[in-house]
Amino acid sequence: MTGPVHDPTNCLPDCAPADPEDTPDIITAPIQPQKTDVAGRTVGRASCCGTNTSRILRRGIQWKPLILQELLLLGVEHGFRLATEPKTRRELDGPFFADWAKIISNTQWNRWSDDDKWFTSYVAHPANGAVVAWIYRQNDTRARYLEQDFHNPAYRNTLLRSFAVATVFAVLWKIGPLSEATIGHVGLYSTVNKWGLPIRDGNRTGLNDYVTNEAVGIPLMVGEDWLDKHVARPLERRIHSPARIDVIRVFTSPTRSFANLMSFHRPWFRENRD
């Protein structure tokens, strides 16, 4: 089912009424969006909810850009691994499908830690989950304009969908066809040999990254939502420097800023304001 962008769950306050001739099948973002100056004053009116883009979209998830942006994120992460980890570069050869199947069978599902550093497991992976969730939100017309508001059922539904997307990405990152299991063969070797001696880098599998990406990443995203609503927006009304406003947005929402880069926007970009 499709619907206009000026659905009350998507609208921003102070939007001008939309054209009553809106079609039921597509939504058209305004070419002349509602604007605010650096002090937060409205300087323009939009025919529907404010946006910084001009697009014709079907209501709901925009699957093509969502998948492409998530794949770009995957490529950036693997590129970082290849550039910084000799062990990843060392394990690029070998039979693809046979090694992939062996890694999945070697996964230690009864173990929590995968022996990564604390920062990697409990900061980097949750941040990754939040970035994945932001990429989903910027490609779902029902979610991209929403502010943090637990009383709004649309926001609660957005969190559930974000959790699901982050979970899927976490599984694909660990054991998918383009994962650390296939690019770098993490988990290929048994932890010890028959004499009890460590083999290569050990098994390095466990459950933590399947869980922390979404279980910690989604609350991290909600925290950034809260900071954007209660810290960044009020400061933007008082500050007259665009550069300072941009810095505030990046520092109060770093994972959202990174997700913006995956869609080739500036880090401080906001759909609902300049």
Side-chain angles (χ1 to χ4, degrees):
M1 178 67 70
T2 58
V5 74
H6 60 273
D7 185 294
T9 62
N10 292 329
C11 279
L12 298 171
D14 301 326
C15 278
D19 186 345
E21 299 300 320
D22 283 333
T23 66
D25 295 325
I26 60 174
I27 55 175
T28 306
I31 296 176
Q32 298 295 330
Q34 179 182 8
K35 304 286 187 179
T36 57
D37 62 17
V38 293
R41 296 184 296 269
T42 299
V43 295
R45 301 293 290 178
S47 62
C48 59
C49 293
T51 176
N52 279 327
T53 57
S54 178
R55 288 168 291 184
I56 298 177
L57 303 171
R58 290 194 175 275
R59 178 176 172 83
I61 299 174
Q62 313 303 303
W63 287 104
K64 182 178 179 179
L66 171 62
I67 293 172
L68 290 176
Q69 290 166 31
E70 300 287 15
L71 286 175
L72 176 58
L73 174 63
L74 191 67
V76 169
E77 292 173 338
H78 281 309
F80 180 81
R81 293 178 64 229
L82 290 168
T84 60
E85 299 178 359
K87 59 188 177 185
T88 298
R89 298 192 296 269
R90 185 189 67 203
E91 299 292 345
L92 290 177
D93 58 352
F96 182 88
F97 289 104
D99 284 349
W100 183 22
K102 186 176 181 181
I103 289 166
I104 294 175
S105 65
N106 283 344
T107 299
Q108 300 182 36
W109 301 108
N110 60 345
R111 180 185 180 195
W112 172 253
S113 175
D114 62 359
D115 291 334
D116 274 341
K117 297 177 181 177
W118 186 91
F119 180 88
T120 301
S121 293
Y122 298 103
V123 177
H125 277 285
N128 173 262
V131 171
V132 169
W134 279 117
I135 291 175
Y136 148 70
R137 286 180 62 176
Q138 66 192 16
N139 287 291
D140 188 343
T141 61
R142 300 163 297 182
R144 63 162 55 113
Y145 304 110
L146 295 176
E147 290 186 335
Q148 185 267 321
D149 182 4
F150 291 115
H151 298 291
N152 184 352
Y155 185 76
R156 297 196 300 270
N157 290 335
T158 291
L159 297 184
L160 291 176
R161 290 191 291 267
S162 299
F163 191 96
V165 172
T167 300
V168 170
F169 190 93
V171 173
L172 292 177
W173 169 257
K174 295 295 291 184
I175 56 174
L178 295 175
S179 65
E180 64 177 11
T182 57
I183 302 176
H185 289 158
V186 174
L188 177 61
Y189 303 101
S190 300
T191 304
V192 296
N193 62 20
K194 62 181 179 180
W195 297 285
L197 299 175
I199 298 178
R200 302 292 280 268
D201 297 310
N203 186 262
R204 296 184 62 236
T205 62
L207 293 177
N208 58 337
D209 292 342
Y210 293 97
V211 177
T212 57
N213 275 44
E214 62 275 16
V216 183
I218 301 307
L220 176 60
M221 181 188 72
V222 172
E224 291 187 4
D225 259 343
W226 187 93
L227 288 172
D228 186 68
K229 180 178 181 179
H230 297 285
V231 176
R233 273 185 175 274
L235 287 175
E236 288 176 24
R237 298 189 187 103
R238 298 162 52 188
I239 295 175
H240 299 274
S241 168
R244 291 183 180 180
I245 290 175
D246 294 343
V247 170
I248 289 170
R249 289 180 181 179
V250 170
F251 275 90
T252 55
S253 191
T255 63
R256 184 179 192 175
S257 299
F258 195 88
N260 281 338
L261 294 175
M262 297 300 99
S263 60
F264 300 100
H265 286 119
R266 294 163 295 177
W268 48 85
F269 174 80
R270 295 292 183 271
E271 286 272 8
N272 54 18
R273 61 194 195 273
D274 283 339

